[in-house]
Amino acid sequence: PSARFVCESPVWRHLTGSRKASFADRHAVPRRLLERMFNTEETPRQVPTRQMQRSRRAAFGLFGLVLLGELRQSCCNQTEVAPSFDADADLRQTLGLDCVAALEDLMTDAVRLSIAMDASSHPSLLALKSQSEYGGGSLGNYDECSQQPGMHFCLAGSISKTKNVLTFGGLCVPKECSADMLGDGNGPYIQWLFRNSRNLWLVLQGEAQPAEDAVKLGSLDIVEYIDVLNSTAEVSQHLGTGYTCGSYSVRMAADSRALLIVMTIMLMLLVGGTLHGLKRAARKPTSSTTSPASAGGANGTDAPTRLDTPLRIEATLAGEEPSGRCKILEAFDVQPHIERLFKPGSKAELRCLDGIRVWSMLWVVLGHTIAVQSAIGFSNPQDVFPPKGTTGSWLGQLFFSARFSVDSFFFVSGFLVVYALQKRVPDADPQRRAAEGEQIPGTFVVKYLKVLPSLFLYRFMRITPPYMASLIFWWKIAPLLGKGPMWFKWQYFVGLCDKLWWTNLLYINNLYPPNVSETEGCFYHSWYLANDMQLFLVAPLFVFWFVQYPSYGIGATALVVLASCAYSAGLTYSLSLSMNSFDGVDVYLYSTLLYTKPWIRIQGFFVGILLGMAYVRNWFGSLRRRGSWLPPGRSWQSSTILLTSVLILACMTFGTQGAYQRRPCFYEESPETADCGSAWDESLTRFYTAFSRPLWIVCLAVISFLCMTGREPLLDRFLSFPFYAPFARLSFGAYLLHPIVINTWFLSDTQKIRWSALTFAMAYISICVVTFAAALLLALLVEFPLVAVTRMYLSPRRDHERVKSGRSEVDLSSLVPDARHSRRGSSGEENERLLGGAVTPQESSYGTLEEEKGAPEV
């Protein structure tokens, strides 16, 4: 400590009668003299004898008289002396003395002191050690503290260097007392503040009563307030946590203003495009010129187009096509996008995937909602956490099993990749090609290398614009939407994106930075998109291999799945990993080493590819023949298979109840060394961690197969309900935006959450509604218009579909609605068009394009 401390202490002012010394004075005083003077080695509650008090007072007075002549001139005349400690410690102690002075002033104001104590919480280290789950009670009253001049509210336990983030209390302290002054996670620095004030320290030690004027104002309040500060410091030191102070808010910067301007322009384009479409439709009479195809398709099922087909062809051949600006404006027309959004998929047997996507998306939102609430904290944790809380019940396992929904997305995405890509390589049957006079194509590796750049560019252009739009909103706009004591978490999110945004653009955020969990990256849930892009780039090699040599392609794909399962099992058993959410360091290592890595997520993706290979080769049709081991239609065999698959999925979902019967582990704890976390035997935990995901994916593939082949019509009808279609197409945007909605929803609170099933259900339903509404806005502003623009300018045109009119060439396939959008039993010509059109945008509806993406792009 510096000599400035002596000059500014109450004792020095009492002995010399001088005013407070300059804040800039920093001088070195032997630390051992100060420690001996204030007796810092005493236990906090030691009661001294009368002789000890007299000796201490005598020593203190003698010390002051001796130093009076020595230090008065150097301290009060601001003579510079080289400090004997580092600059950081000097700064901390300099600021700390300012905090001490503010605390002493607070002790002389009975009204402010009473409000500060009432607005602060009262945590207890004894309660923490005696309870299996600890919430710390109330956080205090943020609003009451913030309304007092010169005071601010500090959350205790909100940050940590050991990842044990447990917001357990709140303090109302003077603004001069920053978070660093209260503690930094390494120890109760607030005790240093007390040692720098003789009055505060003696009151804390029980060695003296408060000052005479303070007694008149209420000495009990002073003692209780100091006790609150000290007990909060003790709990913070025990947990290794720190503080955050004030109401965190973000000022609008220049880049945020620019983004708001861009969003305004996009909204204006949306309104302008819609008005332009309505005006153009009003000019064209449709009653006398509408063809049967445009009115209802061949079967009368397609919705009529805004501009009927004959007039479009006639206008196009006459050179009356709208200009480029009008085309771009038409891309923002809302009505055709909404019509396509609600239009069911053309392949009826694949509509069951819509139900899987929607329910998986709702499951993801469920898991992330409870996760964000847990990060904030519950005022009644015993009603939430094991062993007696909701998460310890069989129904509460839905929260933890939500991780399987991501594997469902990978499965759907892998299936639709085969569906979209298999027609990019011509049929390699030698007999057929010999009959057609064509040569056998080159090896599948050469084809893969040739087509890879175009596939990557197409995929990049399809998913990057809405992805980057959502990331920028999370990074630059969302932090502006609120403020409060919990809002400081946005500072962490923004800091990650400031450093790592480029990893998201390159789709490597699941690999870099290495050895971090899924929540330690920019836009933390976007690790899924990186995996999906990486697996999509690998998948064509196996699809082309399958098209040219089916048996080898299937064998190689299955071998990759088995290798991935063996690797994850070996790593799980060797490092004792666990996927049970409350297993402390074991589950943290699992999320770091396995959870976000593509060589693990390839299991679900490639199982979907295997099912897609069977589908595009029409191997399902061979099972429809009578006399096969699985008869067509519903039978006892198919019902047995379905029941077995459903039971396995139920065991994976609800069977983990026995693992959640002990208190949650802290990050540095493990169920093997502490009485916390999973109550399972170690071998059962490792088996579940290693093989639950492959079992889930295989059972999901079996259920999808039964629905696609019509062997379980009731389940197929449930998953194929037309109501799912628009939500399935919005699942990509919903996946991107739901963390923004959840964090904005809860981080604006000033208190912990009180858990009840009803309030959680209401919050969850509201979040789902807002999420899909925001996804619709994202689709209308970014995704759908860019699809339309890409279709206009970047899509390849086929020569046999071009009609020359003078000097212009017109693609009639983009003008004539295809009447072959049928349901089951579609013709082979339609199948060829759909499979090719899934990669050729100008021949595909948005439904087909969304099917290609699969789940949240997914």
Side-chain angles (χ1 to χ4, degrees), residues 668-738:
E668 70 275 6
E669 293 181 326
S670 173
E672 300 177 7
T673 58
D675 186 19
C676 63
S678 177
W680 276 351
D681 181 72
E682 182 180 354
S683 59
L684 181 57
T685 301
R686 306 300 171 250
F687 178 84
Y688 180 79
T689 303
F691 300 107
S692 59
R693 176 175 292 107
L695 287 173
W696 177 274
I697 298 166
V698 171
C699 292
L700 187 63
V702 170
I703 292 175
S704 302
F705 161 76
L706 295 176
C707 292
M708 292 176 185
T709 56
R711 284 176 168 79
E712 290 299 329
L714 293 179
L715 181 60
D716 183 32
R717 197 172 301 144
F718 171 73
L719 293 177
S720 304
F721 193 65
F723 175 79
Y724 295 129
F727 296 100
R729 291 177 180 132
L730 293 175
S731 60
F732 180 31
Y735 185 83
L736 291 173
L737 296 175
H738 79 276

Side-chain angles (χ1 to χ4, degrees), residues 84 157 344 387 389 393 402 484 502 585 622 709 769 825:
S84 61
S393 64
W502 57 273
V585 66
S622 62
T709 56
V769 172

Side-chain angles (χ1 to χ4, degrees), residues 590-605:
Y590 168 79
S591 64
T592 300
L593 301 177
L594 291 181
Y595 189 74
T596 62
K597 299 303 182 282
W599 43 86
I600 302 302
R601 295 299 178 177
I602 203 172
Q603 298 170 12
F605 200 89

Side-chain angles (χ1 to χ4, degrees), residues 280 284 311-323 327 803-810 815:
R280 190 175 181 188
K284 301 293 183 179
L311 285 178
R312 290 186 67 186
I313 297 177
E314 182 180 355
T316 301
L317 296 178
E320 299 177 3
E321 272 292 283
S323 62
K327 285 184 177 181
V803 177
K804 294 184 179 181
S805 176
R807 300 171 62 183
S808 64
E809 293 183 349
V810 183
L815 302 178

